[in-house]
Amino acid sequence: MSALRRLPAAPLSLAAGAMVWEVIGRAAGVSFFPPLSTVLDRLGEMAADGALLASVRDSLLNLLLGTAISLVAGIVIGVAMGRSRRVEAALGVYVYALLTAPSLVFAPVFFSLFGAGRGAVVAVIVMYAVFVVIVNTAAAVQAVPAHLEEMARSYGAGERQLLPRVVLPAATPMIMAGVRLGVGRAVTGMLNGEMFIAVVGLGHIVTEAGGSFDSASVLAVLLIVIAVALVAIALVQAADRRLTRWVPQTAKGAQGK
Amino acid sequence: MIEIHGLSKTFTDRRGDTVTALDDARLDVAENEFLTLLGPSGCGKTTLLKCIAGLVPYDSGTIEIDGRPIQGPGPDRAMVFQNFALLPWASVVDNVAFGLRLRGVARAEREERARELVATMGLAGFEKKLPGELSGGMQQRVGIARALAVQPQVLLMDEPFGAVDEQTRRLLQEELLALWEEQRPTVVFVTHSMEEAVLLGDRVALMSARPGRVAELVPVDLPRPRARGGGPDRSGVYAELTAYLWDRLREMHEEHRTVRTGAPA
Ligand SMILES: Nc1ncnc2c1ncn2[C@@H]1O[C@H](COP(=O)(O)OP(=O)(O)O)[C@@H](O)[C@H]1O
Ligand SMILES: [Mg+2]
């Protein structure tokens, strides 16, 4: 028991989930919900023929581009909105509208704009991820304590010094919360975009396999997507820990981390 | 050295209500003087100090330092804040060096000066700590060191010891007096404590609320140095002055209450 308790919670819960999946899959014995072992076998077959690897590479590249654009644009626009009432008034209504709109409805637009390729998928990913980053960044910048800005101004800081020396460091913990959400949404956007546009990446495989009722393949891809998402989130958390080491642990708890 | 004439400042809050914080205020501070600014809360002490710091634009009047009107914050002044205003992500040394950094002092030089001041303020060994790892008294030592680092002619202090416990406050008062007696910057020190105003000041500027202006200047005839042991014996002149200041403040509070309730005087 004590040995069990020493194991980290996440792998433990994953192992339990895998076990439940296997048991239910075997007990049900239906083709649309194969047990984990069948899915893993399928994954091995798919990996062996090489097509999967190319798709994974395609998808990862889409994800990387989409995430990078979302983070850069999201933080730049968010800072501008947080610092300037006028920018916020001008952009706020669009940002909040698009934050709540179902992002996939724009896929046909991108499809006709960029054609059935990488451009359209990346655009869908950005639609999924960028707004939550903008909103969090703007809120983070507005929450920077006024007394810190005042202190910096008393030592002669202008806007160009305030931003890198006070505003961005102070806003980093909340910005990172938005980045975490944004990266999660980017993974969703990648799969949805690829499924809709359906000529590249993992989403393409899902659509094909789904069309022929090949549940094992669909679930195999799902496993890969989950792995990608977990790695992406782990990377974000590592960056977060490096950047926000100074935040007291109690404050982090209060932030709802 | 600091000459303030006819200074007025009215704030408009978000609902459109106006508060007149300063109304035709005047004040002269002599070179190397330690002036304490005492008054009921909300009378405009912080506003006056921030006007001198160049942080708050005022509606009318003039503020001159050595005959030159101030234009925003300047390297001749540094402010110490009640809530310390330290950067929580920066080490003690980086916080102390922050003003120098903003003013473009090269890294090696500003760190050397910061380390010296850290030692002067009794914080040796804490150079790498973050503000969150320090007690309130130590945090304000960092705040004072940061202000001294830029070698200001004028030190503006807004209730700097208001947020620390009584014993720490006594220590900090003595340390500040020792520093001042050595370096003799011009100090404007806001406080709400009669005892502190008398203990530290050459003169006490007593501020009234509504109108927010300096109502009276009270000279403090206590010998210096007052730091460590040489402090006033808290009887005689010291006791008389604090009692007098309290009488005046109580009058102000009573007047204020009459004005607010509209009762006949
Ligand atoms: N930024 C502001 N906006 C609106 N009212 C303010 C602002 N700053 C100060 N005031 C008002 O001005 C008056 C004087 O404030 P302050 O200078 O902080 O007083 P003190 O420091 O003496 O307590 C108060 O009534 C306060 O509410
Ligand atoms: Mg005040």
Side-chain angles (χ1 to χ4, degrees):
Chain A
M1 198 59 217
S2 68
L4 261 184
R5 210 172 288 159
R6 240 177 283 132
L7 281 171
L12 211 63
S13 117
L14 278 181
M19 216 128 76
V20 171
W21 180 351
E22 183 68 24
V23 168
I24 292 182
R26 277 175 194 243
V30 288
S31 67
F32 61 84
F33 192 72
L36 179 60
S37 51
T38 313
V39 173
L40 287 176
D41 285 346
R42 193 73 254 280
L43 191 61
E45 288 164 28
M46 288 162 78
D49 81 1
L52 181 70
L53 207 66
S55 295
V56 169
R57 212 168 22 201
D58 257 349
S59 288
L60 283 181
L61 191 56
N62 290 341
L63 181 65
L64 208 67
L65 284 171
T67 307
I69 293 172
S70 299
L71 296 192
V72 172
I75 291 173
V76 169
I77 297 171
V79 168
M81 278 175 64
R83 290 299 286 174
S84 154
R85 285 252 168 105
R86 290 175 60 191
V87 175
E88 193 191 13
L91 299 184
V93 58
Y94 296 108
V95 168
Y96 281 97
L98 293 172
L99 177 70
T100 45
S103 315
L104 202 57
V105 300
F106 297 97
V109 179
F110 296 139
F111 188 84
S112 20
L113 263 179
F114 300 110
R118 168 149 294 137
V121 176
V122 169
V124 170
I125 295 176
V126 172
M127 268 331 258
Y128 267 82
V130 76
F131 299 108
V132 70
V133 179
I134 295 178
V135 168
N136 267 275
T137 303
V141 165
Q142 281 162 354
V144 172
H147 67 264
L148 287 186
E149 262 184 57
E150 191 162 60
M151 180 279 293
R153 284 201 294 120
S154 83
Y155 288 101
E159 183 74 14
R160 286 186 49 186
Q161 282 179 309
L162 274 179
L163 220 52
R165 301 263 175 271
V166 177
V167 175
L168 287 178
T172 297
M174 246 173 104
I175 292 178
M176 287 310 290
V179 168
R180 238 175 1 241
L181 293 173
V183 167
R185 288 181 58 89
V187 176
T188 313
M190 171 196 83
L191 195 67
N192 283 350
E194 288 173 356
M195 280 173 72
F196 185 86
I197 289 152
V199 290
V200 289
L202 295 167
H204 175 56
I205 299 182
V206 170
T207 309
E208 293 230 307
S212 54
F213 302 102
D214 179 1
S215 295
S217 295
V218 172
L219 291 172
V221 171
L222 188 65
L223 281 183
I224 298 175
V225 172
I226 291 172
V228 168
L230 287 178
V231 170
I233 297 291
L235 287 176
V236 173
Q237 274 174 347
D240 191 8
R241 263 197 300 275
R242 272 191 68 89
L243 290 171
T244 64
R245 246 191 292 250
W246 53 273
V247 178
Q249 284 308 311
T250 48
K252 274 192 176 168
Q255 239 181 46
K257 193 169 167 159
Chain B
M1 172 194 203
I2 308 176
E3 288 169 24
I4 301 168
H5 294 282
L7 194 71
S8 297
K9 170 71 189 177
T10 300
F11 289 105
T12 309
D13 67 16
R14 243 173 286 161
R15 278 172 296 158
D17 298 342
T18 58
V19 182
T20 300
L22 297 174
D23 185 4
D24 196 22
R26 68 163 295 154
L27 177 67
D28 289 344
V29 188
E31 179 117 41
N32 307 331
E33 176 172 13
F34 198 126
L35 183 100
T36 49
L37 194 57
L38 177 70
S41 93
C43 72
K45 304 182 292 296
T46 297
T47 306
L48 178 56
L49 207 66
K50 285 184 180 171
C51 284
I52 303 175
L55 288 170
V56 169
Y58 39 93
D59 304 327
S60 60
T62 55
I63 301 176
E64 291 179 354
I65 294 184
D66 286 336
R68 285 185 304 276
I70 62 150
Q71 279 159 345
D76 50 347
R77 284 152 287 152
M79 186 147 172
V80 177
F81 299 84
Q82 176 172 12
N83 57 11
F84 320 134
L86 302 180
L87 304 174
W89 57 85
S91 69
V92 165
V93 167
D94 289 348
N95 265 292
V96 173
F98 187 65
L100 296 170
R101 181 172 193 183
L102 290 175
R103 286 175 186 177
V105 176
R107 188 196 187 92
E109 191 188 335
R110 66 174 188 251
E111 288 201 345
E112 192 191 320
R113 229 194 289 170
R115 276 172 204 286
E116 275 169 27
L117 276 160
V118 165
T120 308
M121 293 307 296
L123 291 168
F126 292 89
E127 286 86 352
K128 294 248 160 63
K129 293 270 190 243
L130 296 176
E133 300 168 311
L134 305 180
S135 69
M138 289 162 90
Q139 291 189 46
Q140 194 55 297
R141 286 189 177 94
V142 176
I144 294 171
R146 177 177 60 194
L148 293 176
V150 298
Q151 294 171 318
Q153 286 172 270
V154 180
L155 197 54
L156 304 167
M157 309 183 84
D158 189 6
E159 302 198 26
F161 310 144
V164 300
D165 65 86
E166 176 70 24
Q167 292 166 32
T168 309
R169 183 176 321 145
R170 289 280 183 93
L171 287 173
L172 287 169
Q173 286 167 346
E174 295 190 350
E175 286 169 28
L176 177 65
L177 277 173
L179 267 170
W180 178 79
E181 267 146 18
E182 198 180 290
Q183 306 184 2
R184 299 297 301 256
T186 306
V187 179
V188 182
F189 185 109
V190 169
T191 177
H192 59 250
S193 149
M194 287 76 60
E195 286 78 12
E196 189 169 64
V198 173
L199 176 71
L200 299 176
D202 293 320
R203 288 186 301 164
V204 181
L206 195 59
M207 265 188 92
S208 65
R210 274 154 278 269
R213 62 175 68 142
V214 177
E216 190 177 342
L217 283 159
V218 182
V220 180
D221 269 325
L222 287 169
R224 295 203 188 259
R226 298 186 197 154
R228 304 239 166 81
D233 62 358
R234 310 213 177 229
S235 62
V237 179
Y238 177 87
E240 263 168 45
L241 275 173
T242 51
Y244 173 73
L245 290 171
W246 174 233
D247 281 347
R248 295 284 284 123
L249 282 168
R250 196 172 46 208
E251 275 169 38
M252 287 180 195
H253 282 285
E254 273 160 16
E255 269 168 40
H256 188 82
R257 193 157 51 219
T258 332
V259 171
R260 264 216 312 239
T261 55

